[in-house]
Amino acid sequence: MLNPHVYLDTVMVLGSVGGTFDGNEKWAFAIGTILASVLWFYTIAFGAAKLAPWLGTPKVQRVIDAIVGTIMLFIAYSVFNTLLIIPTNL
């Protein structure tokens, strides 16, 4: 409920991609996306429950934080570089 990304994905995927199908293809697409979503979230929940003792250790949390931080720095660097590109056709 508090994750706006879920709503954006739902509107974009079901609205734009799903709108390209006709008739039974629309139903097949909708059922496929629902089944994929259910499978995905139950897999995440089951995996998190099984891995909770291991993921709760301070060492693993530091590794996860380092990985997430590295990804965020890479994204920030990429965005910054795209802002520095000056169009040559002006």
Side-chain angles (χ1 to χ4, degrees):
M1 182 171 184
L2 298 176
N3 184 358
H5 197 275
V6 170
Y7 302 113
L8 179 63
D9 283 347
T10 302
V11 170
M12 294 303 291
V13 170
L14 293 179
S16 63
V17 176
T20 62
F21 296 110
D22 291 323
N24 288 335
E25 291 178 339
K26 269 189 185 180
W27 284 105
F29 179 78
I31 292 169
T33 55
I34 291 167
L35 290 175
S37 181
V38 169
L39 177 67
W40 173 254
F41 287 111
Y42 274 103
T43 302
I44 287 176
F46 179 74
K50 289 292 183 185
L51 296 174
W54 181 69
L55 291 172
T57 63
K59 183 178 180 180
V60 172
Q61 288 180 0
R62 283 192 298 271
V63 170
I64 292 171
D65 287 344
I67 291 170
V68 170
T70 303
I71 292 170
M72 291 174 68
L73 286 172
F74 176 75
I75 292 171
Y77 176 77
S78 298
V79 169
F80 183 71
N81 273 344
T82 59
L83 294 176
L84 292 179
I85 297 174
I86 299 171
T88 57
N89 58 355
L90 289 180

